[in-house]
Amino acid sequence: SSVTQYDYIVVGGGTSGLVVANRLSEQENINVLVIEAGGSVYNNDNVTDTLGYGKAFGTDIDWAYETTKQEYGGGISQTLRAGKALGGTSTINGMVYLRAQTAQIDAWETVGNKGWNWKNLFPYFRKGEQFQTPEKYSFLNGSGVTYDPAYHGFTGPLKVGWSSTQLNDGLAQEVNTTYQNFDVPVSYNKDPNGGDMVGYSLFPKTVDSELNIREDAARAYYYPYQNRTNLHVWLRTHANKITWKDGEDATADGVEVTLSNGTMAVVKATREVILAAGALKSPVLLELSGVGNPDILAKYGIDTKINLPTVGENLQDQMNNGLQYDSKASYSKSADYVAYPSASQLFPNSTAVGAKLLRKLPAYAAKVASANGNITKASDIQRFFKIQWDLIFKAGIPVAEILLEPFGNTYDTEYWGSVPFSRGNVHLSSADPTVAATIDPKYFMLDFDLHAQIQAARFIRELFKTEPFADMAGNETSPGLSVVAAGADDQGWSNFIKQNYRSNFHPISTAAMMPKEVGGVVDTSLKVYGTSNLRVVDASIIPFQVCGHLQSTVYAVAERAADIIKGKI
Ligand code: FAD
C-alpha cells in the first residue's frame, strides 16, 4: 500500500507486540504497523512440533543473547534464548501456561502502581484465553487432568490446553501419593491458574489440542486477522532507534529501521510508538534513542534526550538446574507434573530461614546498589526486598518450582527458586544497533538465591526417596551420589549447581513499571517517563518476578495495555 505513516508503530512482533497490534487494529479507522526483525515461522517444524522444545535453539530464529561471564555464577557465561520471528519468544518457549500468585500481582500495586493488582489483571488473563476443556479429547482419558472453569476464558484468541503428546501415562496419581507421603505434604491443586499456585498440579500449555501443534502469539493474534487492511506487518525489518519530533518535548514521531533489503528508512507514527522488543531489547532501543543513563549514553556518543538512569537496571531472571533418574518403566509421552512448594514446604526450618534473611536485606540492598553505581538506591531496593520477603514468608507464595518430566527410561527434573533477589542489568555497548548489548543478570549474587536452589534439589531427592516413587525409579544419574553425596551440605551442592545451571529464560523488569522516584522507567499507563507518546508493553515492565511462567502474564499485561492505549482504562 502507499501508506507511509501509521497511527501506531509496534516495535517487535512477539508475544506482547502482536496482542497490542491486534487489539488496536480492532478500531477500523486506526492504522497499525508492526516491525519485526524475524520472519514467519508458520510452517517451521521446530516451532509447531509439540515435542520439539529446544529444536529451535541456535537456529536463525533464536537471538541467542550472550551474558557476561557471571562473577557469582561459576565464572561462566549463559546463552539467553529469545525468539526472532513473528510471534517472538512464544514460538520457541516451553509452552507452559501458568500464571502467578494473587499476592505477587498485588505487590505491583504495593510498590506504587495504582490499579495493577490481581483483581484487575485476572479478567485479562481470561480475555486472551481460549481454554480447550480436556473432556472433549479422548486422548486425555485417565490423564488425571483437572481444572476449574471459573479460572478460564473460552472465547479469546489464545488456545490453552493439553495435547495428545502430553499426560496420558497415568502417573498423576502416583506422583500425588508420593507428595502426600512427604514429611511436609504438598497437597493437590485442582487448578493452579486461579491465583493460588501452591501445591502439586497438572498444568496446561499453549497448544492446539485438536491439531497437536504449538499455539503462539502469531497463530493466536495475527494469522486469523491478517486480512485486516489496517494491520500491517513488516518482517525481517530491524528497528534501530526511535525518532523524535523537533523541539523540546520528547514526542516520538517514528522509528528508524533497516529494511530486509538492507536499506535504512524512517517510518512515521502519528500517535504513538510502542516498544515490544522483549526485556533484553526494549531497554537497549531506549538507550539507542537517547533515553537512559547520561554517563552510559555519553560513552557511545549518544545525546541524552531523557535522563532516565534506571533504564536497563533491575534485571531479574531465575536459574534452572536439573536432576535425572533412571525409570523402571518406559514412557512414550512427554508428561509434565509441577510442584510449587511454599517456604514452609521447602525449608525444614522456614521461620529461622526467614528471620536470617530479614536481617540480611539491608546488606543485600547495599550490594545491589553499589554494583550498579548507586543508580538504583539502596533504600528503594531494600523496600522492594522487604515486599519480596513478605510475599515469601507472610503471603506464602511458592518459593520454588519443581518440574517432573518422565520420558523414555528417564525421570527428568528441572527446578528453580521462583523469586531470586539478585538484580542485574542490560545496556548497549555501542551506538551501532547491530552490536550485541552487555547483559549481566548477576546470577547467584545474593546467597538466598543459591540456598533456594539447593533446597529445591533436596526436595527432588526427597521425592525419589518417597514411596511409591522411590520404588518406580532407579539410580540418580545426574548429578549422582558420587558428585553430590547423599545428605550433602550447602557447600556440597554449590559447585554442581553453579557449574551446571542455565538461565530459566524469564528476564524481566529492565524498563520497570514503578514510580519514577524509586527507579521506574514507565508509569502505570506504561508510558516512558518524560515522553508524551512512547510506551513499553513487554516483559521489561514487570516489576517483580512471578512464580508461574512468564508468558501468561505477558499476554495479560499486553491485553490490559491495549485497553489503556485505547483509553478504556
Ligand atoms: P518476545 O516474545 O521475545 O518479543 C520480542 C519481539 O521483538 C521478537 O519477535 C523479536 O524478534 C523482536 N525484536 C527484538 N528486537 C527487535 C528490533 N530491534 N527490531 C525489530 N524487532 C525486534 N514462558 C512461559 O510462560 N512458559 C514457558 O514454557 C516458557 N518457556 C520459555 C522457554 C524459552 C527457551 C524462553 C526463551 C522463554 C520461555 N518463556 C516461557 C518465557 C516467555 O516465552 C517470554 O517471557 C515471553 O514470550 C516474552 O514476551 P515479550 O513480548 O516480552 O518478548
Side-chain angles (χ1 to χ4, degrees):
S1 83
S2 63
V3 182
T4 54
Q5 63 178 35
Y6 299 85
D7 295 299
Y8 295 96
I9 298 178
V10 177
V11 178
T15 316
S16 55
L18 290 180
V19 175
V20 170
N22 176 307
R23 295 302 183 190
L24 292 178
S25 64
E26 286 173 340
Q27 312 163 102
E28 280 170 23
N29 56 334
I30 295 291
N31 277 303
V32 180
L33 172 66
V34 177
I35 295 169
E36 170 52 47
S40 166
V41 289
Y42 192 83
N43 292 314
N44 185 331
D45 180 61
N46 292 342
V47 171
T48 52
D49 180 0
T50 55
L51 290 177
Y53 181 65
K55 274 164 64 178
F57 294 178
T59 71
D60 63 352
I61 67 163
D62 175 12
W63 286 95
Y65 302 120
E66 284 294 315
T67 72
T68 58
K69 287 210 164 62
Q70 290 300 286
E71 181 179 355
Y72 311 95
I76 51 181
S77 63
Q78 293 288 337
T79 305
L80 302 187
R81 308 291 169 190
K84 184 180 185 179
L86 194 63
T89 302
S90 73
T91 69
I92 68 162
N93 71 13
M95 308 189 300
V96 175
Y97 186 89
L98 281 162
R99 294 169 182 166
Q101 191 86 1
T102 52
Q104 289 186 296
I105 306 296
D106 290 344
W108 300 7
E109 186 158 62
T110 308
V111 80
N113 298 306
K114 194 162 184 297
W116 286 91
N117 54 40
W118 175 266
K119 190 175 143 279
N120 289 343
L121 197 61
F122 186 55
Y124 289 102
F125 283 109
R126 294 174 58 203
K127 180 179 183 185
E129 185 183 15
Q130 190 182 128
F131 187 69
Q132 304 155 107
T133 49
E135 51 272 37
K136 276 204 281 196
Y137 304 98
S138 57
F139 57 76
L140 292 170
N141 289 350
S143 64
V145 170
T146 55
Y147 69 99
D148 184 337
Y151 299 162
H152 296 281
F154 297 88
T155 57
L158 183 72
K159 290 182 177 134
V160 173
W162 290 268
S163 73
S164 58
T165 49
Q166 261 177 286
L167 282 175
N168 62 350
D169 55 23
L171 262 187
Q173 191 53 48
E174 277 96 341
V175 185
N176 190 27
T177 308
T178 307
Y179 280 126
Q180 301 323 309
N181 288 339
F182 266 39
D183 289 344
V184 183
V186 178
S187 60
Y188 182 71
N189 187 336
K190 181 183 174 192
D191 188 334
N193 275 322
D196 182 6
M197 307 195 63
V198 174
Y200 154 64
S201 54
L202 282 62
F203 56 87
K205 293 188 174 183
T206 42
V207 74
D208 186 321
S209 299
E210 196 80 47
L211 302 178
N212 185 31
I213 53 176
R214 171 194 296 272
E215 177 79 342
D216 60 44
R219 281 184 181 268
Y221 284 90
Y222 178 67
Y223 291 114
Y225 306 90
Q226 61 183 324
N227 290 334
R228 283 183 190 166
T229 55
N230 61 335
L231 174 58
H232 307 262
V233 173
W234 290 2
L235 296 179
R236 303 186 193 287
T237 303
H238 192 275
N240 298 333
K241 63 178 178 186
I242 296 144
T243 60
W244 303 100
K245 208 176 235 157
D246 284 342
E248 285 302 296
D249 286 7
T251 299
D253 69 356
V255 180
E256 182 199 290
V257 298
T258 302
L259 300 169
S260 52
N261 65 9
T263 59
M264 282 222 304
V266 173
V267 53
K268 292 285 180 191
T270 54
R271 292 194 182 206
E272 294 192 9
V273 175
I274 297 162
L275 291 182
L280 300 171
K281 233 358 168 355
S282 289
V284 179
L285 281 165
L286 287 174
E287 292 181 325
L288 288 164
S289 313
V291 182
N293 180 343
D295 293 341
I296 294 175
L297 302 188
K299 252 203 267 180
Y300 304 107
I302 296 171
D303 290 338
T304 298
K305 181 82 184 171
I306 299 169
N307 181 346
L308 200 50
T310 55
V311 169
E313 298 298 332
N314 290 309
L315 171 60
Q316 299 165 50
D317 192 10
Q318 299 152 329
M319 298 77 71
N320 180 302
N321 283 99
L323 273 69
Q324 268 184 1
Y325 293 80
D326 283 333
S327 123
K328 292 179 185 166
S330 182
Y331 301 98
S332 63
K333 306 288 171 176
S334 170
D336 299 88
Y337 306 93
V338 72
Y340 278 113
S342 63
S344 58
Q345 291 168 323
L346 191 71
F347 302 111
N349 46 352
S350 114
T351 307
V353 170
K356 190 169 164 198
L357 177 61
L358 190 59
R359 286 194 298 275
K360 284 187 178 174
L361 294 185
Y364 275 17
K367 192 162 180 179
V368 167
S370 97
N372 63 41
N374 297 304
I375 293 303
T376 57
K377 304 277 170 298
S379 54
D380 296 327
I381 300 290
Q382 193 177 324
R383 204 178 124 240
F384 307 153
F385 282 179
K386 180 58 172 39
I387 291 172
Q388 193 167 324
W389 187 95
D390 286 342
L391 288 171
I392 301 169
F393 293 100
K394 284 192 173 159
I397 64 165
V399 69
E401 174 164 337
I402 314 290
L403 281 171
L404 173 65
E405 300 154 342
F407 195 56
N409 292 305
T410 303
Y411 291 120
D412 226 334
T413 71
E414 293 178 55
Y415 62 92
W416 56 91
S418 316
V419 283
F421 282 79
S422 301
R423 300 290 191 265
N425 51 46
V426 49
H427 291 295
L428 83 182
S429 60
S430 167
D432 176 348
T434 65
V435 173
T438 304
I439 303 171
D440 183 4
K442 300 195 192 295
Y443 297 118
F444 298 107
M445 181 195 204
L446 301 170
D447 60 1
F448 177 80
D449 302 352
L450 175 63
H451 190 52
Q453 204 73 1
I454 290 171
Q455 280 307 121
R458 290 184 178 133
F459 182 97
I460 291 169
R461 280 197 170 167
E462 183 171 355
L463 175 68
F464 284 90
K465 271 198 312 216
T466 306
E467 296 298 349
F469 238 76
D471 192 46
M472 296 160 61
N475 289 330
E476 181 186 299
T477 52
S478 174
L481 300 182
S482 60
V483 175
V484 181
D489 61 9
D490 285 9
Q491 198 50 47
W493 276 104
S494 175
N495 263 351
F496 165 71
I497 285 181
K498 288 188 176 181
Q499 292 303 321
N500 294 284
Y501 73 103
R502 63 164 173 83
S503 164
N504 202 40
F505 308 133
H506 289 171
I508 57 159
S509 209
T510 51
M513 173 175 65
M514 293 195 292
K516 185 168 184 237
E517 58 280 10
V518 299
V521 171
V522 301
D523 66 16
T524 54
S525 68
L526 306 183
K527 224 176 250 178
V528 176
Y529 287 111
T531 74
S532 59
N533 65 342
L534 175 63
R535 299 197 214 229
V536 185
V537 296
D538 59 29
S540 318
I541 70 96
I542 297 176
F544 294 117
Q545 196 56 264
V546 291
C547 61
H549 295 227
L550 278 180
Q551 67 171 347
S552 57
T553 300
V554 168
Y555 280 116
V557 165
E559 285 280 9
R560 190 165 193 267
D563 269 358
I564 291 172
I565 296 167
K566 285 172 161 178
K568 290 188 170 181
I569 295 175

